[in-house]
């Protein structure tokens, strides 16, 4: 029970797994555990984790306290990790995650989060590695620029040192969108990542060939860009290693 006598808030969790390597964003290659939450305010056309919001995994959702999540992380990862990634869906929808972040920090564990920047939470200021990843035109979603501005400004005002922006690119319109994001927030470290356009492929070796080709194509296009001088280009590392396999 919480100090105020009310029942402790519970967090909707779909998966806890790891340790594995982070495949995306500013901490690519980081050894980490994953806590994947349920629910999202977006429904991106190419989402590789649509089960978090489309209802197909509704029966798999467990509503856990922060302590229960920590216990499961330890049961799975033992003493082999010092970093946890909050994933989704969109974990920024879940206010009680603040208690989990505080608990993890209390055990000396760093925390990462990626979110599209559509919702602010005060606990953003406690995240060690925070990636804002607004969604490009190919996602069929509309960016709420006013909210993204508010989030970036709040993080900047608090001088948060662990913030970056990332745009996933599938086509030329997405690359133009990436340019607009970088120009809008030039002081924020910026990453461009090649998107996975084949969620049905089950052969990791075939996936690797396709993903390398897409990454090479993105590199060539960005090298020609006069607007994208101060950017870092990323593959989706986990798709290079495991294809579309879930829980790795």
């Amino acid at each position: 029970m919480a100090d105020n006598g009310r029942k402790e808030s519970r967090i909707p969790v779909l998966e806890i797994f790891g340790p594995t390597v982070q495949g995306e964003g500013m901490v690519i290659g980081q050894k980490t555990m994953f806590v994947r939450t349920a629910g999202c305010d977006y429904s991106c056309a190419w989402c590789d984790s649509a089960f978090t919001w489309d209802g197909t995994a509704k029966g798999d959702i467990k509503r856990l306290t922060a302590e229960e999540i920590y216990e499961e992380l330890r049961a799975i990862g033992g003493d082999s990790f010092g970093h946890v990634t909050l994933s989704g869906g969109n974990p920024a929808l879940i206010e009680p995650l603040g208690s989990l972040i505080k608990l993890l920090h209390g055990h000396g564990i760093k925390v990462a989060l990626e979110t599209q920047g559509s919702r602010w939470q005060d606990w953003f200021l406690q995240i060690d590695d925070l990636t804002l990843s607004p969604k490009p035109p190919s996602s069929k979603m509309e960016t709420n620029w006013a909210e993204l501005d508010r989030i970036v400004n709040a993080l900047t005002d608090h001088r948060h040192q662990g913030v970056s922006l990332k745009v996933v690119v599938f086509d030329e319109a997405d690359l133009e969108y990436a340019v607009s994001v970088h120009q809008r927030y030039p002081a924020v470290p910026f990453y461009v990542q090649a998107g996975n356009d084949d969620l049905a492929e089950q052969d990791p070796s075939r996936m690797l060939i396709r993903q390398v080709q897409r990454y090479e194509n993105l590199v060539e296009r960005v090298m020609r860009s006069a607007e994208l001088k101060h950017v870092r280009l990323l593959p989706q590392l986990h798709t290079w290693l495991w294809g579309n396999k879930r829980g790795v």
Side-chain angles (χ1 to χ4, degrees):
M1 298 292 287
D3 291 342
N4 58 11
R6 293 182 298 178
K7 193 173 183 180
E8 184 176 354
S9 297
R10 293 183 174 269
I11 298 163
V13 176
L14 272 169
E15 296 181 308
I16 297 176
F17 61 91
T20 185
V21 293
Q22 172 58 260
E24 305 186 60
M26 64 189 293
V27 286
I28 189 169
Q30 170 72 52
K31 181 180 180 180
T32 190
M33 295 288 291
F34 274 84
V35 176
R36 187 184 299 280
T37 60
C40 193
D41 49 336
Y42 278 19
S43 53
C44 295
W46 35 250
C47 181
D48 61 1
S49 52
F51 62 91
T52 62
W53 51 263
D54 66 6
T56 57
K58 185 177 180 180
D60 297 330
I61 298 173
K62 295 186 290 185
R63 299 192 176 275
L64 305 176
T65 65
E67 283 285 355
E68 288 169 339
I69 293 172
Y70 177 73
E71 289 170 4
E72 189 161 343
L73 283 165
R74 283 301 185 198
I76 297 170
D79 294 325
S80 65
F81 68 95
H83 190 276
V84 169
T85 298
L86 305 177
S87 183
N90 184 11
L93 300 178
I94 305 170
E95 184 177 353
L97 278 173
S99 60
L100 176 61
I101 296 162
K102 182 178 180 180
L103 177 62
L104 292 172
H105 281 166
H107 289 281
I109 299 169
K110 291 186 176 181
V111 183
L113 169 78
E114 179 173 315
T115 177
Q116 57 261 43
S118 60
R119 183 76 64 86
W120 168 263
Q121 292 287 353
D122 288 344
W123 49 255
F124 279 10
L125 300 174
Q126 309 306 316
I127 295 290
D128 299 285
D129 307 306
L130 176 56
T131 299
L132 301 174
S133 184
K135 305 310 177 187
S138 63
S139 71
K140 309 301 182 187
M141 299 291 105
E142 293 289 334
T143 301
N144 183 337
W145 293 107
E147 183 63 13
L148 187 57
D149 286 348
R150 186 173 82 89
I151 292 171
V152 172
N153 289 337
L155 294 168
T156 301
D157 289 345
H158 283 86
R159 299 182 181 180
H160 195 308
Q161 298 299 306
V163 179
S164 69
L165 282 156
K166 185 193 79 175
V167 172
V168 179
V169 172
F170 288 82
D171 54 32
E172 200 61 36
D174 289 356
L175 191 59
E176 292 176 6
Y177 175 88
V179 169
S180 70
V181 172
H182 186 41
Q183 290 178 331
R184 193 179 187 100
Y185 312 109
V188 182
F190 190 66
Y191 295 77
V192 180
Q193 181 176 295
N196 174 14
D197 67 344
D198 190 353
L199 301 179
E201 179 59 65
Q202 296 301 307
D203 184 342
S205 61
R206 294 180 65 178
M207 275 286 294
L208 176 59
I209 294 171
R210 184 173 182 83
Q211 291 299 90
V212 170
Q213 290 174 340
R214 290 185 60 78
Y215 181 63
E216 288 178 336
N217 179 260
L218 179 61
V219 168
E220 290 174 2
R221 290 152 71 193
V222 172
M223 293 307 107
R224 297 193 296 266
S225 172
E227 296 87 3
L228 295 173
K229 292 186 177 76
H230 304 290
V231 301
R232 297 182 184 183
L233 283 79
L234 301 177
Q236 271 194 327
L237 183 60
H238 55 288
T239 63
W240 285 31
L241 292 172
W242 300 295
N244 286 313
K245 186 177 179 181
R246 180 174 157 184
V248 291

